[in-house]
Amino acid sequence: MYKNLTSLIQKPLTFLFNRTIKSLVVSDQKPKRKSKKQSGLSALDELLFRYTKPDQQFLDAKYGFNAQFIVYETKASYCDLSKSYSGEDNERFKNNYKSIVLPLIMIYGCHLYMNDETKCFFGSSSLKKNQLDQRVVLLQYAANNPIEDRYKVNQLKNINGYAVSVFDGHGGWQLAELAMNILHEKIDYYILKNQDQILNQDDLIQQSICQAYSDVEQEFYKVALQAYNMGFPSVARVGSCALTAIVVGNKVYSANLGDSKGIIVNVSNKMNEKAYKKINHTLNANSKKEQRRLKSVFSDDDIVVCKNGEKSCYVKGRLQPTRSLGDFRLKFQEFNNPKNVSEDKGYLKSISNFKGPYISSTPDQKVFEIQKGDRYLILGSDGLWDELSKSEISKIVQKNQNNKDEIIKQIFEESLSHAAKSNNMSDEDIRKIPLGKRRKLHDDITVIVVDLQGQI
């Protein structure tokens, strides 16, 4: 697999410009193509898959029916159910972890992608301040085929702290994949670059986050415009919500685009008290605050269109998130079908009198001090929050405050159970629904649980 989305797209684009393989793209006799419904791939996906040929075992593991349950240990940057080990290597790695079979979840065993900086560990140990070691458990459960959620957890190199992120893609997985691969590296890079000019820690981290998000947006813009102009209009609809939390000392720095959510749960409060605080606001068109903000900027424009009695609102009638990475059809005229290409070729009807950008890629940032009793940081894509409230999750945390493995198991079980009840199904039956079809019942679910013990 290629390291990031730039290489994913640039390589096939280079091929496309090369006459020697022109026949592979535009043949004299058009082959019969599967419909999008049959193939499950957009035109851009077809372009990527045709030339990158990802390992099938990786795809089966990454996008299969099973949930991933991962615990991060020393210098963990990325773990995934993507590679199995046999023989001597397998025996050696078995000494580092044990398989956990979770109720309601089928797991491939402990097939983990590993490199020199990554290993996975199931167990408990003392936690060191600002060190990621054994603080994080993560679970991901697919509804889309392929899954569009991504995540990233890693120790920062240029400041004494660690970062966790959830990326919730829409219109495709490509931009969420790019953000997963490069955002944290960019944040670390800018922290090092800015530290001589910005002495205040809060300003340093927030400025570095902002620059990193901008870089992700610009990198995708460069390759997306090439693809769009070559006849792959679906790239204009590819986007991603993103929520990042950086923990340094007694502070949590949050940066948000879209509708993923995060909370800090306090375990010293009584069960009947409000035991959590939000680390971000939801930034979508259903928010009255966001509606007011958009209408103040676009006062003479039909900027927010609501359906189903104000329950489902969209920016220009097209997108719920009011901030996101990508979604260039709402940001730039060059992705707004400027040549008025027929809709039967996959192009959307252009927005008349275009005044974009209507949405922003600048994250909303906040800083929180970790208080006595603040024990867990919970991040989740909106697939989690569609099923469980912040209060429900905080109660699960309080009941299981000394067992983060049990916390994430119960969060998952209850979220899936809620989805089942909402669709008049049993827990067992909803798990049998295949990927893709499952998306009609619930969204992709990604949950990250971070133990903050010892940070103050």
Side-chain angles (χ1 to χ4, degrees):
M1 293 294 293
Y2 291 89
K3 184 176 181 181
N4 58 49
L5 185 59
T6 302
S7 58
L8 269 174
I9 297 182
Q10 284 181 332
K11 183 154 185 161
L13 286 174
T14 302
F15 285 149
L16 290 173
F17 282 117
N18 192 325
R19 285 189 175 185
T20 60
I21 58 96
K22 185 176 180 180
S23 60
L24 292 175
V25 182
V26 184
S27 58
D28 293 331
Q29 295 183 345
K30 292 184 179 180
K32 292 183 178 180
R33 293 171 57 116
K34 294 181 178 179
S35 68
K36 290 182 180 179
K37 185 176 180 180
Q38 290 174 313
S39 67
L41 300 175
S42 68
L44 180 62
D45 293 326
E46 292 175 8
L47 175 68
L48 296 174
F49 276 74
R50 185 181 303 163
Y51 292 108
T52 57
K53 297 179 180 178
D55 178 77
Q56 189 59 47
Q57 183 183 7
F58 172 85
L59 291 178
D60 288 344
K62 183 74 177 176
Y63 305 129
F65 289 86
N66 299 341
Q68 305 176 37
F69 181 78
I70 297 163
V71 180
Y72 288 85
E73 199 199 12
T74 306
K75 297 182 180 178
S77 59
Y78 184 73
C79 284
D80 198 3
L81 304 178
S82 60
K83 187 175 182 180
S84 60
Y85 292 86
S86 59
E88 182 177 339
D89 284 342
N90 191 46
E91 293 299 316
R92 179 161 56 90
F93 285 120
K94 276 184 178 180
N95 292 328
N96 293 332
Y97 55 76
K98 63 181 180 180
S99 299
I100 293 182
V101 180
L102 305 181
L104 306 180
I105 309 173
M106 295 175 60
I107 295 185
Y108 284 90
C110 208
H111 303 306
L112 303 170
Y113 172 77
M114 297 187 178
N115 55 36
D116 291 340
E117 293 185 345
T118 306
K119 58 182 176 178
C120 294
F121 179 84
F122 296 94
S124 60
S125 180
S126 59
L127 303 178
K128 297 180 180 179
K129 184 176 181 178
N130 295 326
Q131 298 301 305
L132 188 63
D133 300 11
Q134 301 179 40
R135 286 187 181 277
V136 177
V137 290
L138 181 148
L139 187 144
Q140 189 173 65
Y141 190 71
N144 285 293
N145 185 17
I147 187 172
E148 294 180 338
D149 278 8
R150 295 293 188 273
Y151 56 85
K152 182 75 173 187
V153 178
N154 75 300
Q155 188 75 38
L156 296 172
K157 298 176 181 178
N158 297 317
I159 196 168
N160 201 9
Y162 47 89
V164 297
S165 289
V166 172
F167 307 102
D168 184 358
H170 46 261
W173 50 266
Q174 296 89 351
L175 186 45
E177 179 92 3
L178 173 64
M180 176 190 72
N181 285 333
I182 71 172
L183 178 67
H184 286 197
E185 293 178 2
K186 293 284 187 179
I187 292 172
D188 225 352
Y189 164 77
Y190 281 113
I191 287 174
L192 179 62
K193 182 179 179 181
N194 295 331
Q195 61 186 1
D196 291 335
Q197 291 78 35
I198 306 176
L199 301 182
N200 178 276
Q201 177 179 284
D202 293 358
D203 294 340
L204 171 64
I205 293 175
Q206 290 188 305
Q207 177 65 22
S208 299
I209 290 173
C210 192
Q211 289 172 294
Y213 268 86
S214 178
D215 277 8
V216 175
E217 178 93 339
Q218 289 301 314
E219 183 158 348
F220 190 70
Y221 175 89
K222 289 183 292 186
V223 292
L225 185 59
Q226 294 179 68
Y228 188 84
N229 290 336
M230 291 179 61
F232 295 92
S234 61
V235 71
R237 303 191 292 274
V238 175
S240 181
C241 299
L243 175 60
T244 297
I246 292 178
V247 181
V248 178
N250 69 334
K251 291 187 176 182
V252 174
Y253 300 84
S254 72
N256 180 50
L257 295 174
D259 50 18
S260 295
K261 298 177 186 176
I263 59 174
I264 296 173
V265 180
N266 190 296
V267 297
S268 64
N269 290 335
K270 295 180 180 179
M271 292 299 295
N272 60 351
E273 295 181 5
K274 184 177 179 180
Y276 67 87
K277 53 188 172 186
K278 300 186 296 183
I279 68 166
N280 67 294
H281 294 300
T282 302
L283 301 174
N284 67 29
N286 288 334
S287 164
K288 298 299 182 183
K289 182 178 179 180
E290 283 297 279
Q291 288 181 14
R292 290 192 295 269
R293 182 183 65 81
L294 286 170
K295 290 176 181 179
S296 68
V297 176
F298 302 96
S299 56
D300 59 345
D301 202 337
D302 190 16
I303 185 64
V304 177
V305 178
C306 294
K307 305 174 183 178
N308 299 324
E310 303 289 320
K311 292 182 179 180
S312 298
C313 300
Y314 302 82
V315 179
K316 298 297 290 183
R318 290 165 168 82
L319 185 73
Q320 282 202 323
T322 54
R323 299 196 199 190
S324 71
L325 294 166
D327 294 305
F328 293 142
R329 60 177 173 150
L330 288 171
K331 291 178 180 176
F332 306 111
Q333 177 64 30
E334 52 266 39
F335 290 90
N336 187 37
N337 194 9
K339 298 181 181 179
N340 292 316
V341 181
S342 173
E343 292 182 42
D344 61 12
K345 294 185 179 180
Y347 288 83
L348 295 178
K349 184 179 180 181
S350 60
I351 299 172
S352 59
N353 193 25
F354 187 86
K355 298 178 182 178
Y358 297 105
I359 60 175
S360 170
S361 63
T362 301
D364 181 44
Q365 298 198 57
K366 300 185 182 302
V367 184
F368 298 88
E369 287 193 6
I370 300 172
Q371 305 295 325
K372 182 179 180 181
D374 287 347
R375 179 66 186 274
Y376 288 100
L377 170 65
I378 314 290
L379 270 65
S381 59
D382 69 337
L384 169 66
W385 306 101
D386 287 343
E387 310 302 336
L388 294 180
S389 69
K390 293 180 282 292
S391 178
E392 288 171 326
I393 289 178
S394 69
K395 288 179 181 178
I396 293 173
V397 172
Q398 286 195 317
K399 288 179 181 178
N400 303 279
Q401 59 186 265
N402 295 316
N403 189 340
K404 55 182 174 288
D405 299 352
E406 189 64 27
I407 288 172
I408 204 165
K409 283 194 294 183
Q410 288 195 22
I411 287 175
F412 173 72
E413 290 171 10
E414 292 195 21
S415 62
L416 201 61
S417 180
H418 182 273
K421 290 178 182 178
S422 299
N423 291 281
N424 298 315
M425 300 175 70
S426 68
D427 293 359
E428 182 179 356
D429 286 341
I430 199 171
R431 298 196 307 275
K432 296 177 181 178
I433 305 299
L435 288 170
K437 292 183 179 180
R438 190 186 297 170
R439 179 60 184 89
K440 296 179 180 179
L441 307 177
H442 64 83
D443 203 350
D444 297 328
I445 297 173
T446 299
V447 190
I448 300 177
V449 177
V450 184
D451 191 340
L452 298 175
Q453 187 177 26
Q455 284 298 139
I456 56 173

